[in-house]
Amino acid sequence: MKKAVGMVELLLVIVVITAIYFMCFHPKYGRANPFADSQKIKTQQELVNDKLKDIEDAKALRQRIEQNLNKGY
């Protein structure tokens, strides 16, 4: 009985490892480079951060212009 349970566990581990291999590293069934998505997300995050900084700079410039107009400069 114990030998049968050990064989089932071994078979399960082999199936899981095979599935992970085909999902992550086999180009026909999954991504060729599973880490490329991470790089893409970082690039998109940098673009969003740059746009947010541009918006904040524009708001600060607008406030300075309004303050200067109100002072009469």
Side-chain angles (χ1 to χ4, degrees):
M1 181 69 180
K2 287 184 180 182
K3 188 174 181 181
V5 172
M7 294 297 279
V8 170
E9 289 175 350
L10 182 62
L11 183 62
L12 183 63
V13 168
I14 290 172
V15 168
V16 168
I17 289 173
T18 305
I20 290 173
Y21 169 77
F22 279 108
M23 284 191 306
C24 293
F25 297 107
H26 201 276
K28 183 177 178 183
Y29 297 105
R31 297 178 293 245
N33 184 0
F35 305 105
D37 292 341
S38 175
Q39 183 62 31
K40 184 178 178 182
I41 289 171
K42 287 180 183 177
T43 304
Q44 290 175 346
Q45 187 175 10
E46 290 172 356
L47 288 173
V48 169
N49 288 339
D50 290 344
K51 289 293 183 183
L52 287 175
K53 187 174 180 336
D54 290 344
I55 291 170
E56 290 172 358
D57 291 344
K59 284 181 181 179
L61 181 62
R62 180 176 167 229
Q63 287 176 349
R64 269 190 253 129
I65 290 171
E66 287 177 356
Q67 288 173 354
N68 287 342
L69 288 174
N70 289 337
K71 289 181 182 178
Y73 289 118

